[in-house]
Amino acid sequence: MNTAKTNNMTQKKLLIKRTLWLDGPNIWTYRSCIEALVDIQDLEQFPSNLLPGFYERLTALLPGLVDHECGIGEPGGFLIRLRDGTYAAHILEHITIELHLLAGLNAGFGKARETSVSGVYKMVFRTPDRFVGMACLEAAVRLIHACIEDTPYDLKAELKVIQRVCDMKGLGPSTQHIVDAAYDRRIPFIRLNDGNLVQIGYGEKQQRIWTAETSKTSAIAEGIASDKQLCKDLLSQIGIPVPEGREVDSADEAWEAAQDIGVPVVVKPTDANHGRGVSLELSKEQDIREAYALADEVGSGVLVEKFIAGHEHRLLIINNQMVAATRGELVFVTGDGKSTLLELVESQLNSDPQRGWEEYCPLDPVDFGYDPTALYEVRRQGFEPESVVPAGHKVLVQRNSNASEDVTDIVHPEIARLCTLAAKVIGLDIAGVDLMCEHIDQPPQGQAFAIVEVNAGPGLLMHIKPSKGTPRNVGAPIIESLFPQGETGRIPIITYTGGPELSDFGPQLCAMLEDKGHNVGLACEHGLWVNGKAVHHHDAANWESGRNALVNNKLNTLIMQVRQSTILSEGLPFDRNTVAVVTHLGQLDGLQEWDIVNHEKLFNVTRTVIDLVLPTGYAVLNADEVSLLPLQELCDGKVVWISTNPDNPVVREHVGNGGIAVVLHEHAVQFLGNRAEQEERKPIPLDHADENPIKQLALAACGWVCDVPHHLLRAELRKQP
């Protein structure tokens, strides 16, 4: 082999020249994505089949690439392309997607397309969050360079970094699960902060979630649930079995309460969370005193309760229905006569990939430093973390907060009824009901049984990703409780795109719909208005202004001017629109920085708003512009053609096929089609028919499909210049 040539090839690198976060529908996809401008430089001359050892090194690092179908349409398709020879930008796309998948993220969409500049590509990939996406992209660049140069690459370390970014910046798994359920129903959503506060739906149709709390979660109910003694009192008053107990203020009172109740007892904080500070099955005075100190350290008060024998269970109640249940188990390690207790915990428990501090792990690690009750438990058995455990001897290391075996299908109906009643009494729309019983599949009568706690904002991961048993789609009933079947969470969204002929179109349409009684948000080049009040008079034809309007819970309609530059640089702030008005393809001037250099590429940008029209919506298109005619085939809804020529052949054919149109005829707006005849829509004479007739026709068409009464539409059009 030519050494000089090999050394030269090992210097080949690609360069990310620019990245764009497209937070909404764009020219690539309906969902948020990152577009990277990638210069593969000298690698343009070296596709993958000309890089010695590259295929072997890459597939060894990422064996999951075998599942990538690529353009071939079947698993292994990408590897065929890789073996036969494909370019670095395309390879980068698939590596970035695979890193998403390895980090436990939904992914799968990506494209790489060469620009008008040789060796420079646009590479795009879908990602749930821009920070997470950038972490995957940067790691992918390092990985591809390592495979080209045959240098070490620590994939595990890179994935830890990506997962850390996910934990810090991405939605938590419970919130993401609910958002995914909304997406399955095609209900739109907006992330409102860097945490887990998410708006589901637009404008006045919105609801909000914060992990497993919703707009319908009562603050009073949350307060009751956090007061464990008050919660138990309310449940016992209606006959729900709860453990006998009382709140205490000192270790002496704790021992007195235990004697009165009868040992064994449980000692826990009044506001216990995730089992911290909870000590179970205590009988000795010294143990109870020490448990009081542990509970008092982590809570605002301490409860002593009768210990109920059996297994810990968590039932998830949503909208007065039991939708999932899990069972906990006691956690032991078994000695080998050589290893310390701490070593046994690490090898037998914490090595389980289901255990981890990351949010996506259903089980927490056993950590004596973090959980003093676990340390206290092993000390009660005569062991320290450094103790060597005799061979065959079992040590109990954890009793609580380990309910992660799914038992939904075997819950006895009477137990489900009691737990549902408990959530209803407390007043929670979503509740995690903790109970102790011996047999979850048998009636509560005749066995040890008690409801221990009712929790607001319960964790969902144990149901979504149980350590054993069937995962449960608990997000679907949460969305169902917020949006019963038939509700979409949508408000009418009207977009308009064109040239100077649409000057003042937005304000005039806004006035028309406000007169009809709509609460309208308007985002256009003249500013941002909400319910008739100007928020500002700066250019608002952009993503931020549109998103700000959709967050307003008083609006029931949004009108937004859409520019091609917004689609290219930001994406659109909504997922679908109700009416899309397009009167002109637009201008190439100013779009060169996005490599929009001809009318074919410009068409692909402008079509975006038509691609987003709902099946129940309308596209209002200018039949006098030949370049717009292909848009008709791209609309999921109905098309309304407008024309200044009543004999326009496109209009005639469309109306003949049962469509509707609005044309200018003898200085009047005329409505055509079966719908116009059924509604007896009469022509509307225009006092200024020669002044910008396209705008007048577009206003008439929008008013018509938005069900503006004909007399009001007539009055609005006749007063417009």
Side-chain angles (χ1 to χ4, degrees):
M1 181 180 293
N2 188 316
T3 305
K5 183 175 180 181
T6 303
N7 290 337
N8 187 42
M9 284 195 296
T10 61
Q11 301 304 311
K12 303 298 184 294
K13 290 183 178 292
L14 54 81
L15 173 68
I16 306 295
K17 302 184 71 173
R18 181 191 69 200
T19 58
L20 294 174
W21 168 238
L22 304 176
D23 194 6
N26 49 79
I27 63 172
W28 303 102
T29 174
Y30 286 139
R31 303 186 74 174
S32 300
C33 63
I34 288 177
E35 178 189 287
L37 192 64
V38 184
D39 186 350
I40 68 172
Q41 305 184 100
D42 290 346
L43 286 168
E44 180 73 2
Q45 309 305 318
F46 295 93
S48 54
N49 61 328
L50 297 183
L51 298 171
F54 178 81
Y55 177 93
E56 291 75 15
R57 290 190 286 271
L58 179 58
T59 53
L61 277 170
L62 300 178
L65 290 173
V66 69
D67 296 323
H68 291 221
E69 297 182 357
C70 200
I72 294 176
E74 60 184 35
F78 172 66
L79 295 188
I80 294 173
R81 296 281 302 277
L82 191 66
R83 189 181 296 111
D84 292 344
T86 190
Y87 289 95
H90 181 216
I91 300 169
L92 182 67
E93 167 208 332
H94 282 271
I95 293 174
T96 305
I97 291 171
E98 183 62 17
L99 290 177
H100 275 78
L101 296 173
L102 289 174
L105 302 167
N106 290 329
F109 172 84
K111 287 184 182 294
R113 296 290 183 266
E114 191 170 12
T115 68
S116 57
V117 179
S118 177
V120 178
Y121 293 75
K122 284 185 177 180
M123 190 278 283
V124 64
F125 59 94
R126 186 180 295 151
T127 184
D129 177 84
R130 59 179 168 175
F131 297 103
V132 173
M134 285 303 301
C136 289
L137 176 61
E138 291 165 1
V141 170
R142 291 189 286 270
L143 191 152
I144 197 171
H145 286 161
C147 289
I148 292 171
E149 299 166 1
D150 193 14
T151 55
Y153 184 84
D154 191 340
L155 180 60
K156 288 185 178 180
E158 292 278 19
L159 289 175
K160 284 185 178 180
V161 171
I162 294 170
Q163 288 164 347
R164 189 156 53 245
V165 175
C166 290
D167 291 341
M168 294 174 59
K169 299 293 186 179
L171 290 175
S174 295
T175 307
Q176 186 64 58
H177 179 72
I178 301 172
V179 168
D180 289 342
Y183 182 78
D184 289 342
R185 286 266 308 271
R186 297 300 183 262
I187 298 172
F189 53 88
I190 297 173
R191 188 175 182 183
L192 297 176
N193 67 356
D194 290 338
N196 289 299
L197 179 61
V198 178
Q199 174 183 315
I200 312 289
Y202 291 151
E204 69 176 16
K205 300 294 186 179
Q206 68 179 267
Q207 299 284 349
R208 291 179 178 177
I209 62 168
W210 199 324
T211 311
E213 298 175 71
T214 77
S215 301
K216 296 184 178 182
T217 301
S218 162
I220 293 176
E222 281 191 324
I224 294 172
S226 66
D227 187 330
K228 303 304 179 185
Q229 187 60 52
L230 174 59
C231 182
K232 284 172 49 183
D233 290 345
L234 292 176
L235 297 182
S236 65
Q237 287 170 15
I238 62 168
I240 294 178
V242 297
E244 181 186 356
R246 68 172 184 256
E247 191 169 350
V248 297
D249 294 323
S250 67
D252 289 339
E253 287 188 22
W255 173 236
E256 291 176 7
Q259 291 176 299
D260 292 341
I261 296 167
V263 295
V265 295
V266 175
V267 178
K268 66 182 183 180
T270 55
D271 48 359
N273 185 29
H274 297 293
R276 294 202 66 195
V278 179
S279 302
L280 305 175
E281 201 174 359
L282 306 177
S283 298
K284 298 179 181 178
E285 178 180 356
Q286 184 61 29
D287 291 341
I288 292 169
R289 289 181 177 276
E290 291 177 0
Y292 173 86
L294 289 175
D296 186 50
E297 184 178 347
V298 298
S300 58
V302 178
L303 280 175
V304 177
E305 293 179 344
K306 181 69 177 177
F307 173 74
I308 308 298
H311 293 283
E312 179 185 10
H313 294 80
R314 162 66 65 87
L315 271 63
L316 181 63
I317 311 298
I318 299 174
N319 199 24
N320 297 321
Q321 289 187 330
M322 192 277 290
V323 299
T326 57
R327 174 168 56 204
E329 295 179 348
L330 301 180
V331 179
F332 294 88
V333 294
T334 303
D336 59 8
K338 298 178 294 182
S339 303
T340 66
L341 178 61
L342 195 59
E343 290 170 338
L344 294 171
V345 165
E346 290 302 314
S347 62
Q348 297 180 16
L349 299 177
N350 291 346
S351 60
D352 184 346
Q354 295 187 99
R355 288 187 181 272
W357 297 119
E358 294 84 0
E359 287 191 88
Y360 55 82
C361 294
L363 300 174
D364 289 339
V366 176
D367 186 329
F368 295 123
Y370 173 78
D371 183 7
T373 55
L375 179 60
Y376 172 63
E377 187 66 51
V378 300
R379 283 176 171 170
R380 287 174 61 200
Q381 300 167 72
F383 292 95
E384 293 291 336
E386 298 77 18
S387 302
V388 173
V389 181
H393 186 84
K394 297 179 71 173
V395 179
L396 176 63
V397 296
Q398 197 175 53
R399 288 176 178 267
N400 56 313
S401 293
N402 198 45
S404 191
E405 178 188 0
D406 179 77
V407 293
T408 305
D409 294 332
I410 64 171
V411 175
H412 192 276
E414 180 60 15
I415 291 179
R417 186 190 71 82
L418 287 174
C419 291
T420 301
L421 180 59
K424 192 171 184 178
V425 168
I426 303 307
L428 289 169
D429 61 324
I430 302 175
V433 180
D434 291 338
L435 62 90
M436 295 292 295
C437 71
E438 296 170 306
H439 307 288
I440 195 68
D441 58 344
Q442 296 179 17
Q445 299 81 9
Q447 65 168 314
F449 174 89
I451 289 180
V452 178
E453 293 179 2
V454 179
N455 299 281
L460 303 180
L461 191 62
M462 65 179 69
H463 308 295
I464 300 167
K465 189 179 178 181
S467 61
K468 299 178 184 177
T470 305
R472 302 292 168 172
N473 181 8
V474 298
I478 292 176
I479 292 298
E480 177 72 21
S481 72
L482 299 174
F483 300 93
Q485 286 297 324
E487 294 187 14
T488 65
R490 297 185 179 279
I491 63 173
I493 296 176
I494 303 167
T495 62
Y496 63 99
T497 302
E501 71 279 358
L502 288 185
S503 176
D504 291 329
F505 174 86
Q508 291 169 7
L509 179 61
C510 181
M512 182 189 299
L513 295 179
E514 285 177 342
D515 288 344
K516 185 177 181 285
H518 289 242
N519 296 327
V520 184
L522 170 63
C524 66
E525 59 188 338
H526 304 295
L528 176 63
W529 281 264
V530 174
N531 286 337
K533 295 182 179 180
V535 178
H536 62 73
H537 293 285
H538 312 302
D539 189 343
N542 52 51
W543 182 93
E544 181 179 12
S545 296
R547 179 58 58 89
N548 288 345
L550 291 171
V551 170
N552 190 305
N553 63 4
K554 301 300 182 183
L555 294 186
N556 58 25
T557 305
L558 171 64
I559 301 170
M560 182 173 175
Q561 180 181 1
V562 174
R563 294 195 183 100
Q564 285 83 359
S565 58
T566 298
I567 296 171
L568 291 165
S569 64
E570 301 178 292
L572 294 172
F574 48 82
D575 68 326
R576 303 297 293 264
N577 51 21
T578 312
V579 181
V581 179
V582 181
T583 58
H584 192 274
L585 192 61
Q587 301 295 329
L588 288 170
D589 292 345
L591 303 182
Q592 287 78 11
E593 66 175 297
W594 295 286
D595 197 50
I596 306 302
V597 294
N598 56 47
H599 283 88
E600 180 182 356
K601 290 186 175 183
L602 180 60
F603 178 87
N604 288 332
V605 180
T606 303
R607 66 170 283 181
T608 302
V609 290
I610 302 300
D611 289 331
L612 297 180
V613 173
L614 288 161
T616 55
Y618 294 86
V620 177
L621 303 175
N622 183 4
D624 297 340
E625 287 286 338
V626 176
S627 60
L628 301 183
L629 300 185
L631 291 176
Q632 179 177 16
E633 303 302 322
L634 303 174
C635 181
D636 290 339
K638 298 178 180 179
V639 170
V640 185
W641 288 108
I642 61 174
S643 176
T644 57
N645 176 11
D647 295 321
N648 185 299
V650 173
V651 172
R652 283 204 313 268
E653 181 182 1
H654 181 66
V655 172
N657 291 330
I660 61 175
V662 181
V663 299
L664 185 67
H665 181 58
E666 295 181 351
H667 303 289
V669 173
Q670 187 172 0
F671 302 87
L672 304 177
N674 292 335
R675 174 176 170 178
E677 294 174 3
Q678 293 168 1
E679 296 174 355
E680 297 182 349
R681 289 263 171 181
K682 297 180 180 180
I684 299 176
L686 297 179
D687 296 332
H688 308 278
D690 296 331
E691 297 182 21
N692 200 354
I694 290 297
K695 180 178 70 173
Q696 305 278 47
L697 295 170
L699 284 169
C702 278
W704 188 14
V705 300
C706 291
D707 297 321
V708 174
H710 193 68
H711 71 278
L712 181 57
L713 182 57
R714 176 188 177 95
E716 291 290 344
L717 289 178
R718 296 205 66 179
K719 74 181 182 183
Q720 300 297 342

